[in-house]
Amino acid sequence: MRIRPAAKVAAVLLSSVVICWAVLFHALGWTALVRESGGSCRGSDCPEGLPAVLILAFVFSLGGLALMGKAREAAGLGRGATAAVVVAGVLAGLLPGLYGYQWIRGEKVETASPLKAADRLGIAWRAPQDRSGAVKGLRGWSAGDTVVRVRTDGLSGYAVKDGKERWNVTAPVRESVCAQSAHPSKGIGLVVYGRHNKPCTTLTAVRLDDGATLWKQTLKGEGIGKGVALGGATAVTLEDRAVRGRSAEAGGERWKRPVPERCQTLAMGATAARTLVVEECLPAKTDGIVTARLLALDTRTGKEEWAAKLPVESAGIAYVYSVEPAVIGFQETDERGVRAVLAFGERGEARAAVPLSGRSGGLDIRLSQEDLKAQGPFVAGDTLVAAVQKPGDIVPQYVAGFSIADGRELWRTGDLGNIGALALRDDGRVAVLTAEWPRSDIVVLDPGAGGAVTKKTTLGKEAPVSIDADMLAVRDSYIVVNRYTDGEPPVFALR
């Protein structure tokens, strides 16, 4: 039976596609093995889908070469014609191979081509070095078209568009920034200054578009470092054994709620409608049980909306991750006590508890105002999204979603690499910044779709991510704020 020339050419084309897949799977698979597992793995410790990728790479190699030899011999094509058909086969197999690799690795991608220029993030700008590496950065803020880097020695504002420094505020002589509001509100940010080994007492409101100081207040008491928040037009602080609401624009007092005797406030968070306060009270007797509760106050008036008793019996530390819905973290000093992220309903009813650690790993989260961790967690809809690490690991390499209704783990990503920061986007998706040498990635996850990867961008060796960074999702850009700089810029933008 004589084979038609068209069928012979098709056979060469098919074998070229298979060889393309072999090269692609070898390149991506071995690179992923080195980057994600240090060059080797075994059994369940292997990154998701990677063993299958490497097995298929060898299958495609052997099968493609065997097919190519037989197809070329049967086709009887000249050297030039064979080369043209092979190139066509490689180009035809490239995109299906990439999609196949991502599907095997569990990475769902958007229907658009992953090779589009619009999907490649590059460094749009870098802010020049402004301080020595000894100056510690704190959290980053974004407000309108300005991004702010808060440092221990002051604040700097940069234009989101081009990174031009718009203003700089220097901390008072012999004072450092020792607390700040987690987020700005209505274009205003709060910072608190304090002297060495002294309480944080100088509360300052800064207008973020031009760096103007709106007002200053000298506060009494030693608790201010544990609580400063902005909710709409109200600045909420802990001072002089009271939770106080002030005008964010003028600093005048609007309301005051005393802290009961033998009690202290551990953490606060605020939105325009609600302020959450974690309050801990010591027993009258030395052998008594510590009590704690979560208070919900009207941010505008300070009126109590509800109070929920926390299931704790020893002193601890706390952090407010979300105000609406109410989600906090609490860790008792009692090793057998509560160490979990706790979620509450609209009237303070207990909903869920997600342990900070368990047999499947631990959450990598911050639990105090002084903690520099930037990994969240975030609440997206009814899902708590947090960086997690396997038992024995020292850095998180996975992101997981937990139900705030019942605490179940809903999904977990494969190994993403060393996670440097998370950022919650306006569309509810979560961007993950990995910080590894020689490359860094930004991976975008959809919490509502089982943590599916909707986009993954490799930044490469040129991305100057420091060992401790914060990331902000600002419109079409990702702004990386480096806390410690050793040659890296204090701020840079990816677009």
Side-chain angles (χ1 to χ4, degrees):
M1 179 177 175
R2 185 177 180 182
I3 302 177
R4 295 181 179 181
K8 298 176 181 179
V9 172
V12 175
L13 190 68
L14 177 62
S15 62
S16 302
V17 170
V18 176
I19 291 176
C20 170
W21 291 348
V23 173
L24 195 64
F25 275 43
H26 272 298
L28 294 176
W30 292 109
T31 299
L33 183 65
V34 171
R35 182 174 65 86
E36 299 176 17
S37 296
S40 64
C41 67
R42 182 178 299 178
S44 60
D45 290 334
C46 288
E48 181 180 357
L50 197 52
V53 166
L54 296 177
I55 291 172
L56 285 173
F58 286 105
V59 171
F60 289 149
S61 297
L62 297 174
L65 291 174
L67 284 173
M68 175 63 74
K70 292 184 178 180
R72 183 182 175 185
E73 182 180 348
L77 299 175
R79 181 175 299 177
T82 300
V85 174
V86 169
V87 169
V90 169
L91 293 176
L94 186 59
L95 280 180
L98 283 172
Y99 282 125
Y101 171 83
Q102 291 171 326
W103 180 76
I104 294 171
R105 295 299 312 276
E107 301 175 359
K108 297 180 182 179
V109 296
E110 296 171 341
T111 55
S113 167
L115 299 180
K116 290 192 310 179
D119 287 347
R120 295 191 186 121
L121 290 177
I123 297 180
W125 52 260
R126 307 180 188 213
Q129 286 285 350
D130 60 354
R131 297 291 186 277
S132 69
V135 175
K136 182 173 64 178
L138 303 177
R139 311 235 84 75
W141 286 331
S142 66
D145 58 357
T146 302
V147 63
V148 179
R149 181 180 186 238
V150 183
R151 310 178 309 274
T152 51
D153 68 341
L155 304 83
S156 293
Y158 303 88
V160 171
K161 180 180 179 181
D162 56 14
K164 182 178 180 181
E165 184 175 278
R166 291 181 163 175
W167 51 264
N168 183 67
V169 173
T170 303
V173 176
R174 286 195 172 275
E175 291 191 9
S176 299
V177 176
C178 45
Q180 69 178 103
S181 56
H183 305 284
S185 179
K186 296 187 178 296
I188 298 172
L190 294 179
V191 293
V192 191
Y193 301 108
R195 291 176 63 89
H196 180 63
N197 288 335
K198 300 291 183 181
C200 292
T201 56
T202 306
L203 175 65
T204 305
V206 180
R207 190 167 59 206
L208 301 186
D209 61 352
D210 59 6
T213 297
L214 298 179
W215 51 267
K216 285 186 178 182
Q217 292 284 349
T218 300
L219 308 173
K220 298 179 180 179
E222 299 184 3
I224 186 64
K226 294 181 180 178
V228 53
L230 274 167
T234 304
V236 186
T237 60
L238 171 65
E239 51 183 289
D240 194 21
R241 297 209 47 78
V243 180
R244 230 181 266 262
R246 297 177 178 274
S247 166
E249 295 182 349
E253 183 179 311
R254 289 180 169 174
W255 53 266
K256 174 183 176 181
R257 180 185 177 87
V259 176
E261 288 295 327
R262 304 187 65 81
C263 297
Q264 63 172 334
T265 297
L266 299 182
M268 291 198 310
T271 63
R274 174 190 290 172
T275 294
L276 289 184
V277 178
V278 182
E279 192 176 82
E280 176 185 88
C281 297
L282 300 177
K285 297 180 180 180
T286 56
D287 59 349
I289 293 176
V290 171
T291 61
R293 60 178 183 164
L294 178 64
L295 300 174
L297 311 178
D298 185 315
T299 300
R300 293 174 291 265
T301 65
K303 181 181 178 181
E304 181 179 314
E305 295 180 345
W306 49 262
K309 183 179 179 181
L310 301 179
V312 304
E313 296 184 3
S314 65
I317 55 176
Y319 198 90
V320 175
Y321 301 117
S322 171
V323 177
E324 299 175 280
V327 179
I328 68 169
F330 200 102
Q331 180 170 297
E332 287 189 64
T333 53
D334 180 357
E335 293 183 357
R336 298 293 294 167
V338 172
R339 296 185 171 207
V341 175
L342 308 173
F344 301 84
E346 274 304 303
R347 301 306 305 172
E349 63 275 14
R351 295 187 68 193
V354 179
L356 299 184
S357 63
R359 296 180 64 84
S360 62
L363 308 186
D364 193 73
I365 60 178
R366 61 182 183 269
L367 274 168
S368 70
Q369 287 289 136
E370 295 79 12
D371 196 337
L372 287 181
K373 292 180 184 295
Q375 285 80 267
F378 297 108
V379 176
D382 287 330
T383 304
L384 176 79
V385 181
V388 296
Q389 58 197 50
K390 283 186 175 181
D393 290 347
I394 59 174
V395 294
Q397 296 183 320
Y398 308 85
V399 176
F402 302 86
S403 168
I404 62 172
D406 56 23
R408 289 181 301 115
E409 182 174 320
L410 302 174
W411 50 263
R412 180 178 294 206
T413 66
D415 190 336
L416 301 178
N418 295 342
I419 296 173
L422 304 183
L424 184 62
R425 296 167 30 129
D426 290 339
D427 60 8
R429 292 187 291 176
V430 174
V432 184
L433 172 68
T434 66
E436 291 187 300
W437 190 90
R439 54 177 278 178
S440 295
D441 297 327
I442 287 183
V443 181
V444 180
L445 309 175
D446 186 351
V453 174
T454 60
K455 187 177 294 186
K456 182 175 182 178
T457 303
T458 298
L459 308 181
K461 292 186 289 186
E462 74 280 2
V465 181
S466 74
I467 59 172
D468 196 359
D470 200 0
M471 181 171 66
L472 306 169
V474 185
R475 295 192 294 275
D476 62 340
S477 303
Y478 292 105
I479 311 295
V480 178
V481 181
N482 286 321
R483 298 221 182 86
Y484 296 94
T485 56
D486 183 16
E488 299 90 357
V491 185
F492 67 93
L494 298 162
R495 188 177 297 135

